[in-house]
Amino acid sequence: MSVPPFRRSPVRRRGWWLPALLLTACATNDTTSVLRELPPAPLVVVIDSDVPAGSGDAELQFRATAAEMQTMLAQELRALDASSRVVTRSELGTDRADVAIKLVPRGEIRFEHTATASYLGAGGLWLVSWIGGLLVPDSTYTVRMDASCRYAQAGDEAEYFEREVAGGEVDLSFFERNDLISLPALQSLVLPPFWTTDQSDKTSAALTRSSMQLVARRIATELKQDFERLAEVEFLCSVRVQTPRNGQKVSARTMPITLTAVSQASDPVSRVTASVNGGAPQPLELVLGRDGASKVEARGELQGLDPAAENWVRIDVTAGKIYTRTLRLKGNS
């Protein structure tokens, strides 16, 4: 374990008081929580990935196999409630997805320490409680990533569009970088946490997870806010569901469904169906009202919903070929 030189200037210890320390330590960026609160995209998403190039002899390295990358990315997208369902290829099994997303790194994913995140929060809490300072994010690292995400219609993955993915900055706490029983923990008895050394293996693992969090936030933003605009341009068909809102609770066995489908392909939208929990024996045929040559409004009444359980509504839009969406409606249990 190498011991890098002290990386930050001394902490000023005068004039601190506990309420200010706690407020500073608890201050967070609201971006992730705001993104999480947006309705999930009406899609079953399957995740794939390529393995990035190795990091050579760097002390901090990206450490995950392709399967581990897929699992981490799926977990982070679920935490953001990015879509109706997010699975890896192995988890999908014989089920059908609507969209396949593949992370494609074009080079190595690199990490480097760049700054101290919070002198006041980490240093102050370390002074008054020791353990409190070890729980506060105190070190900033830069994740450098040159990659893209490929979005393809599941079952037709030769046709896709790509969106660029970059790195960013992440903050780690002492315990995200070190174990409780370790040399850095002993150092923290006499040094502020941001002056202690890091365990490279644990820090690398934390930064590997953080890099997937950055990717997940980008994907979740695309899925929730921009996917249908992109689908209309790239896949030549968009499907915007007005009611029900994806993720809402079911209060009765029936519920109206309305959506707008736009086909920019040579074939107009000719049929829209909705299947509730498998759709036996026949899917519901939605009534189409055409609005111009390319746009239709589809309406119907979903039947056979279960207010006590989770419900899945599969939407098939035919416009030359079939475009699918999937709603996840919550039960009251």
Side-chain angles (χ1 to χ4, degrees):
M1 180 189 306
S2 62
V3 180
F6 288 162
R7 302 172 297 195
R8 308 152 178 99
S9 58
V11 180
R12 302 180 69 183
R13 303 190 179 195
R14 292 184 181 178
W16 293 355
W17 57 93
L18 187 58
L21 300 178
L22 294 174
L23 285 174
T24 303
C26 294
T28 58
N29 192 322
D30 291 334
T31 303
T32 298
S33 59
V34 170
L35 179 59
R36 186 183 300 113
E37 292 305 312
L38 293 175
L43 298 164
V44 173
V45 173
V46 60
I47 299 295
D48 290 312
S49 68
D50 287 340
V51 181
S55 300
D57 295 328
E59 184 177 1
L60 298 177
Q61 298 187 23
F62 184 90
R63 301 189 178 187
T65 64
E68 290 167 341
M69 287 175 66
Q70 293 163 26
T71 297
M72 282 190 287
L73 189 50
Q75 290 171 343
E76 296 301 332
L77 287 168
R78 290 177 200 135
L80 292 170
D81 198 21
S83 69
S84 299
R85 186 185 178 203
V86 182
V87 294
T88 63
R89 187 69 63 176
S90 61
E91 292 169 334
L92 181 64
T94 58
D95 293 341
R96 294 186 299 173
D98 301 308
V99 174
I101 297 178
K102 184 175 185 177
L103 175 61
V104 185
R106 290 187 284 262
E108 66 182 28
I109 298 175
R110 295 181 289 114
F111 311 129
E112 60 184 69
H113 178 270
T114 52
T116 296
S118 175
Y119 283 120
L120 182 60
L125 287 174
W126 172 78
L127 279 175
V128 299
S129 68
W130 178 68
I131 192 70
L134 307 188
L135 299 172
V136 177
D138 61 49
S139 294
T140 299
Y141 297 80
T142 298
V143 177
R144 302 194 186 280
M145 184 188 322
D146 178 19
S148 65
C149 276
R150 294 179 180 176
Y151 295 75
Q153 294 185 88
D156 189 16
E157 294 172 32
E159 296 184 16
Y160 59 82
F161 65 87
E162 290 190 317
R163 302 291 282 174
E164 293 300 303
V165 178
E169 291 189 341
V170 297
D171 295 337
L172 298 182
S173 69
F174 177 89
F175 280 133
E176 288 175 307
R177 309 189 311 272
N178 300 291
D179 295 320
L180 178 59
I181 302 176
S182 63
L183 175 59
L186 292 176
Q187 293 173 343
S188 72
L189 296 173
V190 294
L191 294 173
F194 43 77
W195 279 0
T196 63
T197 54
D198 294 343
Q199 291 178 296
S200 59
D201 285 351
K202 185 156 186 176
T203 306
S204 293
L207 290 170
T208 297
R209 167 67 73 169
S210 295
S211 68
M212 293 300 99
Q213 291 171 343
L214 291 172
V215 174
R217 284 199 288 271
R218 178 60 188 268
I219 293 175
T221 300
E222 300 283 4
L223 292 176
K224 290 188 174 190
Q225 297 184 326
D226 213 24
F227 182 79
E228 293 305 336
R229 182 190 67 81
L230 292 167
E232 186 172 332
V233 173
E234 303 290 349
F235 296 149
L236 302 181
C237 186
S238 64
V239 183
R240 294 178 172 88
V241 181
Q242 281 80 45
T243 58
R245 180 177 58 83
N246 196 28
Q248 79 176 60
K249 286 189 176 182
V250 171
S251 58
R253 297 193 66 81
T254 64
M255 178 181 289
I257 181 171
T258 61
L259 61 88
T260 301
V262 177
S263 172
Q264 301 293 356
S266 56
D267 295 295
V269 176
S270 59
R271 186 187 187 205
V272 181
T273 64
S275 303
V276 176
N277 297 327
Q282 294 292 331
L284 170 69
E285 294 276 351
L286 301 190
V287 177
L288 306 185
R290 195 162 297 279
D291 182 5
S294 61
K295 180 179 178 181
V296 301
E297 295 179 349
R299 298 178 178 272
E301 190 79 12
L302 299 174
Q303 306 285 334
L305 296 166
D306 185 352
E310 194 169 57
N311 293 265
W312 296 88
V313 180
R314 170 92 171 194
I315 299 166
D316 287 358
V317 175
T318 303
K321 56 185 177 181
I322 295 177
Y323 303 86
T324 66
R325 301 292 185 270
T326 303
L327 297 172
R328 181 193 74 221
L329 304 177
K330 299 177 183 178
N332 292 315
S333 58

